[in-house]
Amino acid sequence: MTAAHSAGCFISFEGIDGSGKSTQARMLADRLRAEGREVVLTREPGGSPGAEEIRKLVLEGDPDRWSAHSEILLFTAARRDHLERTIEPALKAGKIVICDRFADSTRMYQGLSRGDLRALVDELHRLMIGREPDLTLLIDMDPAKGLSRALGRGGSEERFEGFGEGLQAQMRAGFLALAKEYAARFTTIDGTRSIEAVARDVHAAALAHLPQVAAR
Ligand code: ADP
Ligand code: TYD
């Protein structure tokens, strides 16, 4: 089911809560569309009807609602559905897929936050998902700033944001380590600047990558 050589381009945004991923994903989609490209803007957990239902199960309710292992399975089930029904068809049609979070979030949140489950996350990813984005944009951000932005938004999806600044600091360090581990597909962008300054760097990184994909 891998689409590693599909004509489209798969771009993911990663980073801690409140770092500006959703804002930047939307702006990049708008800008690429204005340049005449076909873009599918999507998110995880979610991005397909079934995966959006799983989103409610994992993001709402008591922080202890799921065991660490059940949670990994739920995120992976959501991702598999999203991949089959939204991402792969769009890539096969030659579109650019921009996804707000993907498997790197599971490597961090489920792989690190509740014990060292990274090997399990990676093994399940290999078995059930089997592909990475072509380009991952890591919006790097001081956790205190990210958390106050994320909590400022309000809403009911606070199972992970409720974990607080300590977890966000661990996630930030983890994402930076992941960017080194997968250096070929990661670009790290300083998210502490103005929305427009971050958006310029995001667009430049995407453009630098797109011709490469088109030439495959
Ligand atoms: P994420 O998707 O990473 O959680 P959002 O894009 O939802 O982050 O941004 C969180 C909040 O911070 C939103 O209210 C958004 O308008 C604001 N925000 C995003 N980027 C910036 C920025 N560069 N400077 C100031 N505020 C920002
Ligand atoms: P998201 O809606 O992107 O939150 P935010 O905009 O605040 O960054 O993601 C919701 C939460 O889900 C976020 O706290 C991270 C968590 N998450 C996981 O724990 N594992 C995953 O695989 C994904 C995709 C998200």
Side-chain angles (χ1 to χ4, degrees), residues 17 21 55 75 79 101 106 109-110 153 160-161:
D17 296 322
K21 297 176 300 299
R55 179 181 178 102
F75 276 106
R79 179 160 306 125
R101 294 193 183 279
T106 315
Y109 288 81
Q110 283 63 50
R153 274 183 323 213
F160 293 90
E161 284 156 12

Side-chain angles (χ1 to χ4, degrees), residues 13-23 43-46 55 58-59 71-72 74-76 79 99-111 113 121 146 149-151 153 157-163 167-168 171 175:
F13 278 84
E14 295 285 357
I16 60 172
D17 296 322
S19 55
K21 297 176 300 299
S22 313
T23 305
R43 68 165 181 184
E44 290 210 349
R55 179 181 178 102
V58 289
L59 295 190
E71 194 172 282
I72 292 172
L74 285 165
F75 276 106
T76 306
R79 179 160 306 125
C99 192
D100 188 350
R101 294 193 183 279
F102 192 66
D104 296 316
S105 283
T106 315
R107 292 187 171 102
M108 291 298 98
Y109 288 81
Q110 283 63 50
S113 70
V121 169
R149 280 191 198 166
L151 294 176
R153 274 183 323 213
E157 292 182 344
E158 292 193 352
R159 266 193 74 224
F160 293 90
E161 284 156 12
F163 285 2
L167 175 75
Q168 299 299 343
M171 295 300 111
F175 274 123

Side-chain angles (χ1 to χ4, degrees), residues 150-188:
L151 294 176
R153 274 183 323 213
S156 56
E157 292 182 344
E158 292 193 352
R159 266 193 74 224
F160 293 90
E161 284 156 12
F163 285 2
E165 205 177 313
L167 175 75
Q168 299 299 343
Q170 195 191 354
M171 295 300 111
R172 182 198 196 182
F175 274 123
L176 289 169
L178 213 53
K180 284 198 185 134
E181 188 180 336
Y182 293 102
R185 71 175 162 89
F186 263 87
T187 298
T188 303

Side-chain angles (χ1 to χ4, degrees), residues 81-129:
D81 191 64
H82 184 208
L83 194 64
E84 287 176 3
R85 291 168 196 264
T86 304
I87 299 175
E88 295 278 14
L91 291 174
K92 284 201 181 88
K95 296 176 185 169
I96 298 169
V97 173
I98 299 177
C99 192
D100 188 350
R101 294 193 183 279
F102 192 66
D104 296 316
S105 283
T106 315
R107 292 187 171 102
M108 291 298 98
Y109 288 81
Q110 283 63 50
L112 286 185
S113 70
R114 298 170 80 179
D116 184 7
L117 295 175
R118 173 70 196 276
L120 185 65
V121 169
D122 281 336
E123 180 65 359
L124 203 55
H125 179 80
R126 189 184 66 76
L127 288 169
M128 293 307 296
I129 308 299

